[in-house]
Amino acid sequence: MASPQSGLRIQGDDNLQSMFVGAMMRKIKSRSWKKQRYFRLQEDCMTIWYKSHKAVKAHSTFSVSDVEAVREGHQSEVLKSIADEFPPDRCFTLVFRGRRGNLDLVAESAEEAQLWVRGMRKLMDNVESMGESERLDQWICDWFRKADKNKDGRMNFKEVRDLLKMMNVEMNEQHALRLFRTADKSQSDTLEDDEFVQFYKMLTKRKDVLRIFQAYSGDGQKLTVPELEEFLRAEQLEDQAGQRRALELIQRFEPSDTAKNLQAMTIDGFLMYLCSAEGSIFNPRQQGVYQDMSRPLCHYFISSSHNTYLLEDQLRGHSSVEGYIRALTRGCRCVEVDCWDGPNGEPIVYHGHTLTSKILFKDVVNALDNYAFKVSEYPVILSIENHCGVEQQRVMAQHLNQILGDKLLKSAVDGRISTSFPSPEDLKGKILLKGKKIGGLEESMGMVVEEMLPGDVTDEDDSGDMEDDNQHHENMRRHAKKSKQGLCKELSDCVVYCKSVRFSSFKHSRIHAKFYEISSFTESKARKFMHETGAEFVCHNARQLSRIYPSGLRTASSNFNPQDMWCVGCQIVALNFQTAGVEMDLNDGLFSQNGRCGYVLKPDIMRGSTRGFDPEHPQNHDAYQPVSLSIQVISGQQLPKVNIKEGSIVDPLVRVEIYGVPMDQAKHETRYIENNGFNPVWYDTLNFTIHTPELALVRFLVEDYDKASKNDFVGQYTLPLTCMQQGYRHIHLLSKDGTSLHPASLFVNIKITKLNYNQPST
């Protein structure tokens, strides 16, 4: 069964025609690992197949939809290492989504490299432009191809039974045979193209959606404009939904021209609407930049990375410029560099006093220059932990100025001294350096200052807040890394609005601190302040920036819960982006709104420097408005198989987790459904009381239940409560890496209701 448009795509396109035939290329992993592999595009125009020229059977594949970008030339560290062997016009890199490593390739000729680069980009554009219906057709084709073991373009009943197991379906054999015979119109005891599509439609018939459709359809066959209006107002809570809105949805989602002409929506159109972005749980009106970007910088949460150069752990892990590229292309707006004196007068970046590999500081700056504003035009903060002597500090300053040019902020916005931060809007396209500075902003605007600042020029441990049980170790580390040579003026001049200072106390900061001074806190100290003086911490963060970083004990580059820090208004909550898990799910969830630009405006209750919001006691604030959140988990669709054991089928359950102020932390889960990952049905309702909805994140987690051991992860989706649409909604699940698991989804009904202040909590 060929992909619906594969023939059309290949025909007349020389690049795709040649990719279909295939080519021998070198796969490069290092200067010493260069292996010949045969690559070709498969018939579906969605899969790249490759194998060793020596291997008889072993081969690998990857999907075009997994590829995020194609880079030409020596743009990866691996390809740079073999630049003396292979010219740049024969080299290219395939960059995968999530945390999967890049694929570095060398073609036999420059022409062949260009053919694959152009062809891959065309295929990627095609995937991006696919509608929901096309994506579903493609998914059906993929399953047909997997099930058609003898490759004769048709499926017998045995292949159908194997298919059902692959699709996570445990079905009575007699029922499966009935569906098979119903679809077998040709009575050939096999299913061909159209017959398989019919079989699939019977298999995926959505009784849950049909029930809703028929509740509003007068004749059970279609929704008229008034009936669709009523559904939108009553169920989707679209108060302003009128005739124009109903007609717009019919025009966009109804596949039948006959129904369109009758101004009606069939069940197929209704399902397409519910599976679209309009029917998603995430409000599409909050996907673009919708927030006010003209507030002071300290009024925003800022997507931030810790030890950005690391791709693995912080003891033996690999340092790479790729860490910066990945973080920046995910919308990260604050990245970190640990700089040390390197050979040949060139500063290097690595995790000091460990076995992590080293990269050049100038290569990091080049990556910033190339990638800082690819996905977001708002400012990037470069947080420097400086361990270099004065001479190499001057080299650092030289690289920053020469490579970044006008992108590096060197003076106050409009040349004026202000009493508060400029806004993200004011700083568009600018890179701000965070680090130690000689004097302050006022002095740098014209006053004479000393040439060097003596003493420790590092920043990470400024708050003096090491964990008690690790105090001695950390003090020794600090002593080892101190620079007694001072801070050179050239590097100091690169710091404008983010001067690193040691934190003394909230009272001291309130009286003496300048708005442009920023302190760093370890996670334990920040958490202590949250519990003991939360309201003061919130007020401090309404005036100044705070950076929170993981404990030095997290040698495996694990992460802390960032929500604790956002609850006291900390802006720069630095996480190890290379480590997947619930903490990065929360980070991705918070910053999935506002155009994924890396800046999210803090709630109004956290932007006033005197109002005293306390996350430990939110009910004491004047603006306190709790809500009840009711989530009916109705069904799941095409959940991926997680256990590779033959015949194993998912037993899914759904857990809903609330992350917010301490009073809001909660988890509830559905029962598990035995042996059905394809179309499980729950109709279980989970209820929550949310005391500070402005700060709440909601995480939907699907697991494969196992009574004997820990449940297996199936998929997740995290979003801010304030971005949730009410009514009947689909949740399109993501992998551990945050990549799409299309077409895996959950179908839910969401209700959010304001509570009276004196209404008891559930």
Side-chain angles (χ1 to χ4, degrees), residues 162-209:
D162 293 341
L163 169 71
L164 292 174
K165 286 182 180 176
M166 284 193 285
M167 291 175 114
N168 255 331
V169 183
E170 178 74 32
M171 185 179 287
N172 176 279
E173 187 162 326
Q174 289 304 312
H175 180 55
L177 187 58
R178 258 195 316 273
L179 292 180
F180 180 88
R181 286 176 175 164
T182 303
D184 182 19
K185 301 294 185 186
S186 62
Q187 297 184 341
S188 62
D189 290 329
T190 59
L191 300 182
E192 299 180 38
D193 287 19
D194 293 341
E195 292 172 336
F196 178 73
V197 171
Q198 180 62 31
F199 174 78
Y200 173 81
K201 285 188 174 179
M202 287 190 288
L203 197 64
T204 57
K205 194 170 182 180
R206 294 284 300 274
K207 292 180 182 177
D208 51 348
V209 173

Side-chain angles (χ1 to χ4, degrees), residues 600-734:
V600 168
L601 186 64
K602 293 197 280 188
D604 184 59
I605 56 174
M606 310 189 87
R607 301 202 300 265
S609 57
T610 58
R611 295 189 195 176
F613 168 74
D614 186 347
E616 293 281 328
H617 306 285
Q619 70 276 19
N620 294 340
H621 196 272
D622 292 343
Y624 176 63
Q625 176 55 72
V627 301
S628 73
L629 170 64
S630 173
I631 300 173
Q632 184 184 42
V633 181
I634 299 171
S635 64
Q637 294 76 44
Q638 289 97 55
L639 303 178
K641 194 170 181 174
V642 292
N643 195 323
I644 58 173
K645 270 198 309 192
E646 186 76 27
S648 174
I649 293 175
V650 169
D651 301 331
L653 64 80
V654 178
R655 183 178 302 118
V656 178
E657 304 171 344
I658 308 297
Y659 294 86
V661 298
M663 286 178 73
D664 290 342
Q665 307 280 0
K667 298 179 183 181
H668 297 314
E669 64 186 44
T670 67
R671 63 210 153 86
Y672 70 91
I673 303 297
E674 198 166 347
N675 286 336
N676 189 353
F678 187 72
N679 54 1
V681 175
W682 289 277
Y683 281 104
D684 287 354
T685 300
L686 312 177
N687 293 306
F688 302 88
T689 295
I690 313 292
H691 297 274
T692 311
E694 306 97 310
L695 286 170
L697 291 169
V698 184
R699 183 172 184 251
F700 295 85
L701 175 65
V702 182
E703 291 184 334
D704 179 12
Y705 173 76
D706 191 325
K707 64 182 178 184
S709 61
K710 185 180 178 183
N711 294 349
D712 288 323
F713 174 94
V714 174
Q716 68 84 28
Y717 188 82
T718 308
L719 78 165
L721 177 69
T722 54
C723 293
M724 284 173 69
Q725 296 200 99
Q726 298 191 67
Y728 289 102
R729 304 293 172 185
H730 276 95
I731 300 168
H732 301 284
L733 295 173
L734 304 175

Side-chain angles (χ1 to χ4, degrees), residues 138-345:
Q138 184 64 56
W139 191 77
I140 295 172
C141 290
D142 290 344
W143 279 115
F144 187 97
R145 201 173 53 257
K146 288 175 187 174
D148 183 15
K149 293 290 173 59
N150 59 8
K151 307 300 176 192
D152 63 352
R154 57 185 66 194
M155 279 202 308
N156 58 40
F157 184 63
K158 182 184 182 304
E159 289 173 325
V160 166
R161 279 186 307 174
D162 293 341
L163 169 71
L164 292 174
K165 286 182 180 176
M166 284 193 285
M167 291 175 114
N168 255 331
V169 183
E170 178 74 32
M171 185 179 287
N172 176 279
E173 187 162 326
Q174 289 304 312
H175 180 55
L177 187 58
R178 258 195 316 273
L179 292 180
F180 180 88
R181 286 176 175 164
T182 303
D184 182 19
K185 301 294 185 186
S186 62
Q187 297 184 341
S188 62
D189 290 329
T190 59
L191 300 182
E192 299 180 38
D193 287 19
D194 293 341
E195 292 172 336
F196 178 73
V197 171
Q198 180 62 31
F199 174 78
Y200 173 81
K201 285 188 174 179
M202 287 190 288
L203 197 64
T204 57
K205 194 170 182 180
R206 294 284 300 274
K207 292 180 182 177
D208 51 348
V209 173
L210 186 62
R211 180 190 295 186
I212 302 163
F213 180 84
Q214 291 180 335
Y216 285 88
S217 171
D219 62 4
Q221 301 298 311
K222 65 182 183 303
L223 290 175
T224 63
V225 169
E227 288 167 347
L228 183 53
E229 285 179 54
E230 185 185 357
F231 167 77
L232 293 171
R233 283 195 296 265
E235 301 292 352
Q236 307 300 73
L237 301 183
E238 294 188 21
D239 296 335
Q240 307 304 313
Q243 184 182 46
R244 179 180 295 181
R245 171 68 170 157
L247 286 170
E248 176 209 341
L249 293 180
I250 290 170
Q251 287 302 312
R252 284 178 62 187
F253 300 111
E254 177 51 53
S256 165
D257 290 335
T258 303
K260 278 183 182 178
N261 292 335
L262 292 172
Q263 295 189 340
M265 181 177 275
T266 63
I267 181 64
D268 289 339
F270 188 64
L271 181 58
M272 286 184 71
Y273 152 67
L274 287 174
C275 290
S276 73
E278 288 288 338
S280 164
I281 193 170
F282 197 106
N283 189 336
R285 282 154 285 287
Q286 289 172 286
Q287 285 182 329
V289 176
Y290 71 96
Q291 294 181 332
D292 180 0
M293 302 302 287
S294 63
R295 303 275 184 167
L297 201 69
C298 56
H299 286 184
Y300 297 83
F301 297 122
I302 304 171
S303 180
S304 306
S305 162
H306 175 63
N307 288 349
T308 315
Y309 47 89
L310 288 179
L311 297 183
E312 300 164 23
D313 68 76
Q314 58 189 49
L315 289 181
R316 298 172 179 271
H318 181 56
S319 301
S320 173
V321 171
E322 195 62 39
Y324 293 91
I325 298 171
R326 290 182 186 181
L328 292 167
T329 52
R330 286 180 74 170
C332 180
R333 297 290 88 189
C334 180
V335 296
E336 183 189 22
V337 283
D338 284 3
C339 299
W340 300 79
D341 284 336
N344 306 315

Side-chain angles (χ1 to χ4, degrees), residues 85-155:
E85 291 183 65
F86 303 105
D89 58 5
R90 288 174 56 192
C91 301
F92 64 98
T93 301
L94 301 183
V95 181
F96 292 97
R97 300 181 191 279
R99 293 169 178 82
R100 181 175 172 178
N102 296 345
L103 179 59
D104 292 301
L105 298 171
V106 178
E108 292 297 309
S109 67
E111 294 74 22
E112 193 150 63
Q114 270 303 301
L115 181 152
W116 276 81
V117 167
R118 288 193 300 264
M120 282 298 303
R121 286 175 175 163
K122 176 164 185 173
L123 292 170
M124 290 160 63
D125 288 343
N126 183 73
V127 171
E128 288 297 315
S129 63
M130 272 187 184
E132 192 64 33
S133 179
E134 279 183 294
R135 285 161 67 89
L136 193 56
D137 287 346
Q138 184 64 56
W139 191 77
I140 295 172
C141 290
D142 290 344
W143 279 115
F144 187 97
R145 201 173 53 257
K146 288 175 187 174
D148 183 15
K149 293 290 173 59
N150 59 8
K151 307 300 176 192
D152 63 352
R154 57 185 66 194
M155 279 202 308

